[in-house]
Amino acid sequence: MSEQESLRCSSARNRGGVQRVEGKLRASVEKGDYYEAHQMYRTLFFRYMSQGKHAEARELMYNGALLFFSYNQQNSAADLSMLVLEVLEKSETKVEDEILECLAKLFSQMDQNSPERVAFVSRALKWSTGGSGKLGHPKLHQLLAVTLWKEQNYSESRYHFLHSSDGEGCAHMLVEYSASRGFRSEVDMFVAQAVLQFLCLKNKNSASVVFSTYTEKHPSIERGPPFMQPLLNFIWFLLLAVDGGKLTVFTVLCEQYQPSLKRDPMYNEYLDRIGQLFFGVPPKQSPSYGGLLGNLLNSLMGSGEEDDGTEEPPEDSPIELD
């Protein structure tokens, strides 16, 4: 028997063993022996890990978590979900879409207000970037954003969309957010904030996509450009200016639209950062903002010129609109 055939046979035996164990554990859960089943899952986890059977351990914990979720055993399910992450961390598993989708599914099953959910998503995002301290894999952010959108948790959904590459999905979510939670007079502010924040993250493509999709799909915005709302015209001109890179155009644009920009004190702070990133404006020697405002900007943009900061992603979205 060749080495490759031997490996296939070994894998098949291991899979068969996992299936037999899962059958026994499922029977315990179905009988209501939740505590006993939970402890058995943990015992098997440490046994598999000590034997280097990382794939088997991950599969068993993932399926066990879903089983406990189906019986509304949130604590046991959350514990096994954290063990899934432990396998990924200790086995140095490479990031793949299939794994990210599994993590997002576990996240979607967790109680929306549980501290375990916050801990899980923070740890999952850290793993997804190889523990580098960056803000997380864009695909995982996109999957989390969609889950939170379905839960109508628009503010946190928006935060995760900002760190994904899904400008179109973000726009559709913002249309729903604006229609359900905002005033008609604020329709332009929802997308303006998103565009400015995408630009602060040096994501020009998503900034353009979110703007074009939002203005096309929102029922309260007449087709443009030009638009009825001055702020939307400003954003349209800004995106063109970013492509051109001319500081004089950027400066005149910001001066001409100051009345619209004063509607939110954060706009000029974002524009200071955009000026640095795209138009060569030198950083301020001593920022005029501090405290909560400074922390907010740093969490969104990072303190230096890198695309991502080195801090953990904040639990809350950068700014509330409602």
Side-chain angles (χ1 to χ4, degrees), residues 107-181:
F107 173 80
S108 72
Q109 298 293 308
M110 290 182 179
D111 185 293
Q112 297 176 21
N113 299 312
S114 69
E116 290 82 7
R117 196 187 210 200
V118 175
F120 177 83
V121 73
S122 176
R123 192 168 168 184
L125 286 168
K126 185 175 182 179
W127 169 78
S128 73
T129 51
S132 64
K134 293 184 180 180
L135 292 175
H137 194 285
K139 176 65 175 179
L140 182 54
H141 275 295
Q142 190 265 343
L143 293 168
L144 296 172
V146 171
T147 295
L148 291 160
W149 177 11
K150 290 176 181 177
E151 297 172 0
Q152 297 185 334
N153 188 341
Y154 300 114
S155 58
E156 288 198 25
S157 174
R158 189 178 59 80
Y159 169 78
H160 288 289
F161 269 125
L162 282 171
H163 293 287
S164 75
S165 300
D166 187 6
E168 184 175 357
C170 183
H172 285 288
M173 183 277 295
L174 288 173
V175 169
E176 184 179 309
Y177 188 8
S178 167
S180 62
R181 304 281 175 86

Side-chain angles (χ1 to χ4, degrees), residues 279-295:
F279 300 98
V281 177
K284 291 182 179 180
Q285 293 299 314
S286 54
S288 61
Y289 47 85
L292 180 61
L293 191 60
N295 291 337

